[in-house]
Amino acid sequence: MAKIVTEFFRRYDKLMQEQGPASTFWKKADCEKVSGYFCKAKRERRMPPPTQLKKLEGYLDNQFLLECMQFYSDYYPECMTIKMDMALDEFVLKYRNKGRRKEREVASQLYLEKALRMGL
């Protein structure tokens, strides 16, 4: 298992210990299905997808979650869907602000890359 995956599940387990049982935490977050995705990913020793990692926004360090999402996109590119790309792009725009001008350049580059992938 990659170091970042191990670190993610260490932090996730710590969060679950602080918040109570995982099922209770996900009920409070109104995302009961997500618990199953995390359990399966942990069993398979894989990083959960960006769409699921996004649900932990505000509970874990957002910069770390961004790194985890980027790891997923780098190491499991065959699994990336448009929905997952959008979740990753949203996090990049939210948590990688380097000034207003840079943000616009990043956003336009992301949209251009998406359009090229979709064949437009």
Side-chain angles (χ1 to χ4, degrees):
M1 187 171 0
K3 185 179 177 183
I4 192 166
V5 177
T6 305
E7 177 63 16
F8 169 76
F9 281 111
R10 187 188 68 73
R11 291 184 186 196
Y12 176 75
D13 290 340
K14 184 179 176 188
L15 174 69
M16 291 303 117
Q17 287 174 351
E18 292 170 359
Q19 299 288 326
S23 57
T24 307
F25 171 78
W26 290 112
K27 272 185 188 172
K28 283 191 280 183
D30 200 29
C31 303
E32 292 179 59
K33 283 180 151 181
V34 176
S35 178
Y37 289 112
F38 283 97
C39 288
K40 182 180 179 197
K42 190 173 184 178
R43 272 194 315 272
E44 295 175 356
R45 298 179 181 189
R46 288 178 57 121
M47 182 66 70
T51 49
Q52 305 311 319
L53 291 170
K54 181 179 165 184
K55 309 278 191 212
L56 293 172
E57 182 177 8
Y59 292 104
L60 292 179
D61 176 43
N62 293 324
Q63 289 297 316
F64 179 70
L65 287 175
L66 179 58
E67 288 176 37
C68 292
M69 289 179 180
Q70 289 171 330
F71 173 84
Y72 186 92
S73 95
D74 291 343
Y75 286 89
Y76 312 116
E78 71 282 353
C79 299
M80 286 294 285
T81 63
I82 291 176
K83 195 173 182 181
M84 290 179 195
D85 275 334
M86 290 173 62
L88 175 58
D89 293 347
E90 179 184 327
F91 250 69
V92 167
L93 291 174
K94 263 187 182 176
Y95 298 108
R96 281 266 171 102
N97 293 336
K98 295 182 176 120
R100 184 84 173 124
R101 182 173 179 182
K102 185 68 175 175
E103 183 179 322
R104 270 184 268 149
E105 289 172 8
V106 169
S108 31
Q109 182 64 32
L110 292 172
Y111 289 120
L112 179 61
E113 288 173 9
K114 277 186 194 173
L116 290 173
R117 272 189 243 132
M118 294 173 70
L120 299 175

